[in-house]
Each structure stands twice: as C-alpha cells, then as structure tokens.
Amino acid sequence: QIMSKFLRYAAVGAAVASFGIASGAQAATTDSANVTATILTALSVDVDATADTLNFGTIADGGIAADASLTVDTTGAAGACPTNLICGGSTAAPLFHVSGLAGKAVQISFVNTTETLSYDTTINGGPAPASFASAMTAGTFTTDATSNAVLLDAGGLADFSVGGTLTVHPNMAPGVYTGTLSVSVAYN
C-alpha cells in the first residue's frame, strides 16, 4: 500500500510537472511583420544639346563707373540694358531635361550661388591685357519651375529653363568670357 501511494503520488507529480511545462510552452507565441524597401529609379539631369548656354549677349562699355547688372530670364529674353552699357546680340536661356521615376517630385538647386565668367584665352588668342578686368560674375539664378521643383510626368520626364544676372565691372577687357552653370536635382 505504501508503494501504491508512492506510485500514485509520483504519477500525479509527473502529470503536474508535465502540465506546467506544457503551459509554459503554450504561453510563448510568435508573429511576423512585413519588411519592404523601395529603390527609386536613378535620377538624372542633362542640358539640352541645342539650348545649352545662358547667353547674356554682346555688351559694350559705354562709360560705366561702377558695377552694372543685366538679366536674362528663363525664356531667354534680356532685361533692360543698364545705363552706360550698350547691349545687343542674341540672348538665350539653357534648357535642362530631368528623367527619373514617373510621378515623383524633384527639387532643383544650383551647385553654386554665383559662377565666374573668365576671359577665354583660347577663343581670344591670349591673355587679357594687364590693365583690364578679366572676370565677371553670374548669379541670382532662377528657374521656370514653381518653387524650383518639377513633377515627373508619366514617362518620368520634366524640363526646366534657367535665367540669371550678369555683373559687369568697369574696364572689362574686350573679348569672349566663358564659364559654367551647374544644377543639381534630387527627389523630394
């Protein structure tokens, strides 16, 4: 009888112990979440091969005593010619093409707020005479895009044009001046 009680208690103890273990295993549960990532199509900007220059035209010093500024807007139209400068020739605005993921907003910015136009020694056949100024500054750049942003169309394309202001200094060396204008684009 003692042995039978002992076996009974052992069986009950084993059952309780296994019940406790099973309960603990049932209390732990798992679930999962989705993991995603989106890689956007590469974004690029290229200047149009036939409209690649912000051209301020031909300028003659008519006796300026201080810096004078003239503008070309985003359509390529020249603003009023400052007093004591003589303005002529063709003006133009560059056209840029953006390509990327359709329907995405793209922000446009200028790499530099101003750009230097230097006396072009190659085109002009040598350096500027020492007694003349040989560099001008272009700046106050604008785009025809609202808030400098474009929305890529269904084909992932958008265009924008750039205008700016040229500061001409007194006593500029006669000749051709060249420089670059750099733009940057990024997804919003």
Side-chain angles (χ1 to χ4, degrees):
Q1 216 183 29
I2 292 179
M3 184 61 144
S4 147
K5 273 186 179 183
F6 177 74
L7 287 175
R8 218 179 317 171
Y9 285 134
V12 169
V16 168
S18 68
F19 179 71
I21 292 171
S23 294
Q26 291 173 349
T29 64
T30 61
D31 199 0
S32 57
N34 296 325
V35 178
T36 64
T38 302
I39 305 297
L40 296 178
T41 302
L43 185 63
S44 68
V45 61
D46 297 295
V47 69
D48 189 282
T50 61
D52 63 354
T53 304
L54 178 55
N55 187 346
F56 290 96
T58 304
I59 306 154
D61 183 344
I64 63 170
D67 289 352
S69 297
L70 59 136
T71 62
V72 170
D73 68 18
T74 59
T75 67
C81 188
T83 304
N84 294 329
L85 280 184
I86 301 156
C87 304
S90 297
T91 58
L95 174 65
F96 290 89
H97 305 292
V98 182
S99 63
L101 187 64
K104 291 294 181 183
V106 174
Q107 188 66 44
I108 304 160
S109 60
F110 297 98
V111 174
N112 300 306
T113 55
T114 61
E115 299 287 355
T116 300
L117 280 75
S118 300
Y119 184 86
D120 192 313
T121 57
T122 303
I123 294 172
N124 295 319
S131 61
F132 288 94
S134 60
M136 295 182 277
T137 304
T140 317
F141 300 116
T142 59
T143 72
D144 60 355
T146 304
S147 300
N148 286 340
V150 293
L151 183 64
L152 300 179
D153 65 16
L157 304 172
D159 295 335
F160 66 92
S161 294
V162 173
T165 301
L166 178 69
T167 302
V168 180
H169 308 295
N171 200 36
M172 295 297 306
V176 175
Y177 289 75
T178 58
T180 59
L181 164 65
S182 299
V183 299
S184 178
V185 294
Y187 285 113
N188 274 348

